[in-house]
């Protein structure tokens, strides 16, 4: 790989672009990330992180900071004028299980999530270049020539790959000529923003579903003493001015007449029109799109940010491997795997949105499908379906977590072994001693023994059988489970067949591993 050409140029420094840049940087891939905005976003917009996104953030090394910056979703308190008329829980709190240690969505203002990811990126030696806009690009068979503009000065950058993570109005998507299928609900508008509110408890999400001009909701934000305001404007209604005085008047008309409820100190305000759109392609040559540049969602269900983060997580390891010598055909699997996921999630978000605008209270309920733990790549190019395979976990599924003990009796989770840019080979049983020598630098081998097995140095002891149950391995039997760098099962065999595993994996690995 030439050092006078930038490997990857990322356009857009929201959660998607930051996730991708972090993943590439930790792989030793040189990356630049630019954003046309003059400074970081300050609002709470995408405030809900799904359990699957929490696992991604754990792998990137920022989960503790994210958990410290947020809290669990508050219960809803439903109001009519000055009366509390009901209480609601959108999603029952789930208890942690051995295979899902973080089972519930986590409430964190988007600006805080982005700040944590920027800090992580800085620790890897990369800073976001704000106030730097992409103003054009061309591509050929060996790379991209992009023009960046900052303070009126132009810079030409030559890169091997370009990724547009530049939002719903993506310049990259438009310049590629990609169709953005779907609709914009022009008649449906919503004022959103972050405000302080006197006279309301900060322990509940307050909702006035029967307000005259449209639903009003105030969700308490962790750590900042503010609420996220969502103020619906019914079709034909007038959007209030984006001033504190106008919005406070609307609150006064809606909430508790005669009582001291006062909105003030707005730090971010915006008018939002729900979009349901999706690009028909995620890649043209050496240019990719991800996140809102590829798909935009209604706010219902909190799927937009989470789906974008996982786009980046899917693309990051594939770009990294190809830049380090793997077969470039691996990059074709990004669109093949992620586009169907976005289509399903978009349909779910739209269904929830339609229910809410029709006033169906059940539309406030949130089911397990929003956790994104069940999303699978089964049947895709890296996980062809195997006829007759009835195992609970198959290639393409999320790799379950499990608690074990190391050789010193210290608690260790499988996710602790997954963390990092490598593949992970779970070796159940006492055979396949040759797997360690076979694996090389790109694959971490993790031996897992049942509680009755004789100890082996560096092996994990599955004393309670959680790992064996999660992967459908009968105690005392052998199995090989290969986990991709993005935490999905790549290959599974009961008992293990190292030759078949090698045939699957070798074309996907960087050249330095394949040649070893």
């Amino acid at each position: 790989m030439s050092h006078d050409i930038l490997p990857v140029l990322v356009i857009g420094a929201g959660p998607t672009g930051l996730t991708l840049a972090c993943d590439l940087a930790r792989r030793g891939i040189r990356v630049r990330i630019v954003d046309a905005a003059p400074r970081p976003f300050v609002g709470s917009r995408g405030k809900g992180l799904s359990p699957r996104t929490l696992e991604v953030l754990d792998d990137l090394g920022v989960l503790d900071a994210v958990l410290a910056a947020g809290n669990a979703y508050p219960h809803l308190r439903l109001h009519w004028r000055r009366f509390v008329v009901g209480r609601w829980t959108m999603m029952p709190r789930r208890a942690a299980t051995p295979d899902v240690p973080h089972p519930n969505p986590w409430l964190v203002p988007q600006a805080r999530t982005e700040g944590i990811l920027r800090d992580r990126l800085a620790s890897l030696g990369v800073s976001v270049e704000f106030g730097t806009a992409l103003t054009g690009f061309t591509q050929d068979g060996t790379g991209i020539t992009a023009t960046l503009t900052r303070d009126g000065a132009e810079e030409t950058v030559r890169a091997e790959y370009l990724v547009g993570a530049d939002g719903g109005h993506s310049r990259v998507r438009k310049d590629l000529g990609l169709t953005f299928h779907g609709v914009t609900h022009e008649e449906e508008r919503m004022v959103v923003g972050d405000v302080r509110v006197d006279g309301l408890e900060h322990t509940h999400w307050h909702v006035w579903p029967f307000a005259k001009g449209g639903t009003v909701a105030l969700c308490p934000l962790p750590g900042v003493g503010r609420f996220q305001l969502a103020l619906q404007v019914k079709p034909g209604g007038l959007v209030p001015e984006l001033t504190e005085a106008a919005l406070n008047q609307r609150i006064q008309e809606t909430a508790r007449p005669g009582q001291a409820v006062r909105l003030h100190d707005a730090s971010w305000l915006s008018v939002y029109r729900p979009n349901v759109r999706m690009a028909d392609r995620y890649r043209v040559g050496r240019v990719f799109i991800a996140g809102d540049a590829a798909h935009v969602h209604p706010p219902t269900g909190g799927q937009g940010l989470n789906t974008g983060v996982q786009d980046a997580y899917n693309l990051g390891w594939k770009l990294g491997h190809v830049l380090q010598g793997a077969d470039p055909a691996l990059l074709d699997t990004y669109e093949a795997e992620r586009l169907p996921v976005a289509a399903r999630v978009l349909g779910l978000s739209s269904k929830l949105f339609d229910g809410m605008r029709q006033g169906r209270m059940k539309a406030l309920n949130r089911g397990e499908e929003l956790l994104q733990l069940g999303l699978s790549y089964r049947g895709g190019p890296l996980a062809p379906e195997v006829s007759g395979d009835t195992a609970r976990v198959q290639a393409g599924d999320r790799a379950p977590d499990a608690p074990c003990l190391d050789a010193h009796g210290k608690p260790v989770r499988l996710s602790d072994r997954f963390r990092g840019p490598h593949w992970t080979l779970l070796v159940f049983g006492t055979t396949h001693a040759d797997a360690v020598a076979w694996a090389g630098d790109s694959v971490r081998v993790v031996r897992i023994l049942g509680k009755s097995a004789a100890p082996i140095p560096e092996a994990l002891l599955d004393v309670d059988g959680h790992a064996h149950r999660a992967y459908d391995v009968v105690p005392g039997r052998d199995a090989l489970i290969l986990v991709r760098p993005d935490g999905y099962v790549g290959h599974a065999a009961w008992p293990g067949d190292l030759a078949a595993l090698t045939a699957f994996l070798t074309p996907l690995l960087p050249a330095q591993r394949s040649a070893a």
Side-chain angles (χ1 to χ4, degrees):
M1 185 174 66
S2 173
H3 291 286
D4 59 357
I5 180 171
L6 178 71
V8 183
L9 175 61
V10 178
I11 310 300
T16 300
L18 288 166
T19 297
L20 178 62
C22 285
D23 197 24
L24 291 169
R26 69 172 178 162
R27 296 173 184 281
I29 303 296
R30 288 190 302 125
V31 59
R32 284 181 67 181
I33 177 169
V34 304
D35 197 296
R39 61 189 64 86
F41 176 64
V42 298
S44 64
R45 183 185 292 132
K47 63 186 183 299
L49 301 179
S50 74
R52 180 59 190 151
T53 297
L54 294 178
E55 293 178 347
V56 173
L57 297 173
D58 183 15
D59 184 45
L60 294 178
V62 298
L63 180 61
D64 288 345
V66 166
L67 293 179
N71 54 233
Y73 266 74
H75 297 297
L76 273 70
R77 182 171 287 175
L78 306 182
H79 301 264
W80 181 74
R81 308 291 279 178
R82 61 187 179 87
F83 302 103
V84 175
V85 296
R87 291 172 174 81
W88 201 281
T89 300
M90 288 196 304
M91 181 178 288
R93 302 249 174 101
R94 292 167 171 79
T97 60
D99 63 323
V100 183
H102 305 287
N104 297 299
W106 200 245
L107 180 64
V108 185
Q110 179 176 327
R112 189 70 190 101
T113 300
E114 292 182 6
I116 291 169
L117 287 169
R118 281 196 305 275
D119 289 345
R120 173 60 173 143
L121 187 59
S123 75
L124 295 165
V126 181
S127 297
V128 176
E129 300 174 48
F130 285 104
T132 304
L134 175 74
T135 50
F137 65 88
T138 59
Q139 64 172 309
D140 53 45
T142 61
I144 309 293
T145 301
T147 302
L148 303 178
T149 302
R150 179 185 177 88
D151 296 331
E154 287 191 348
E155 174 191 6
T156 299
V157 177
R158 183 71 176 168
E160 293 192 62
Y161 295 97
L162 183 147
V163 181
D166 48 343
H169 299 288
S170 170
R171 171 69 184 265
V172 174
R173 185 190 66 241
K174 292 174 181 176
D175 283 5
L176 289 174
L178 298 179
T179 303
F180 212 31
H181 297 284
V183 297
T184 298
H185 295 280
E186 296 290 352
E187 76 285 1
E188 298 282 345
R189 292 153 297 168
M190 184 175 292
V191 175
V192 292
D194 297 343
V195 298
R196 296 190 188 277
V197 181
D198 296 334
L200 286 179
E201 299 89 342
H202 210 264
T203 54
H204 287 80
W205 191 338
H206 301 274
V207 182
W208 289 263
F210 314 113
K212 182 178 179 181
T215 299
V216 175
L218 288 161
C219 179
L221 298 172
V224 294
R226 296 180 183 276
F227 289 82
Q228 185 189 73
L229 167 70
L231 190 154
Q232 180 190 18
V233 180
K234 289 183 177 180
L238 294 176
V239 177
E241 295 181 36
L242 295 188
T243 64
E244 291 180 8
L247 295 175
N248 188 55
Q249 179 63 33
R250 175 72 183 271
I251 293 293
Q252 296 296 323
E253 294 170 354
T254 298
R256 301 187 183 183
Q259 297 193 25
V261 177
R262 185 174 71 93
L263 178 153
H264 62 102
D265 193 17
S267 60
W268 164 67
L269 292 170
S270 180
V271 177
Y272 174 81
R273 285 177 173 80
N275 285 292
V276 184
R277 293 188 179 274
M278 189 175 130
D280 53 351
R281 297 175 63 186
Y282 283 13
R283 177 190 184 187
V284 177
R286 291 176 169 267
V287 182
F288 301 81
I289 57 173
D292 284 358
H295 44 79
V296 290
H297 305 244
T300 42
Q303 300 296 285
L305 181 153
N306 294 289
T307 304
V309 163
Q310 290 161 58
D311 286 346
Y313 196 49
N314 182 287
L315 180 58
W317 70 270
K318 296 172 180 178
L319 273 174
H321 278 22
V322 169
L323 285 163
Q324 292 168 339
D327 186 345
L330 178 60
L331 296 175
D332 294 334
T333 69
Y334 165 63
E335 177 183 304
E337 289 191 331
R338 292 304 300 169
L339 193 149
V341 168
R344 291 195 298 271
V345 172
L346 202 63
L348 174 62
S349 299
S350 299
K351 180 180 178 181
L352 292 170
F353 174 72
D354 289 342
M356 289 191 66
R357 66 177 180 165
Q358 292 167 17
R360 297 198 303 266
M361 294 304 296
K362 287 186 178 180
L364 293 174
N365 289 335
R366 299 290 182 264
E368 290 191 4
E369 67 276 9
L370 296 180
L371 305 178
Q372 298 196 335
L373 295 168
L375 295 178
S376 175
Y377 301 131
R378 284 190 193 186
L382 296 180
E385 293 186 7
V386 179
S387 178
D389 192 344
T390 59
R392 179 169 54 177
V393 175
Q394 298 180 28
D397 293 348
R398 166 191 169 269
D401 203 351
C404 298
L405 296 178
D406 68 11
H408 305 288
K410 178 183 176 182
V412 176
R413 302 195 65 90
L414 293 186
S415 57
D416 296 327
R417 296 296 189 252
F418 296 160
R419 191 178 300 112
H422 53 267
W423 295 71
T424 306
L425 178 60
L426 303 180
V427 179
F428 288 85
T430 56
T431 60
H432 294 299
D434 52 343
V436 174
W438 163 88
D441 295 335
S442 297
V443 183
R444 173 181 291 175
V445 175
V446 178
R447 286 193 166 278
I448 302 175
L449 304 176
K451 62 180 179 180
S452 60
I456 296 177
E458 305 304 321
L460 299 184
L461 192 61
D462 186 22
V463 290
D464 296 316
H466 294 305
H468 282 76
R469 283 191 292 275
Y471 290 92
D472 277 353
V473 180
V474 176
R477 299 283 297 276
D478 298 327
L480 293 174
I481 309 292
L482 182 68
V483 180
R484 297 169 15 166
D486 59 353
Y488 286 85
V489 175
H491 182 90
W494 306 263
D497 181 345
L498 200 56
L501 183 62
T502 301
F504 166 80
L505 184 58
T506 299
L508 305 179
L509 290 181
Q512 58 260 40
R513 165 58 184 84
S514 299

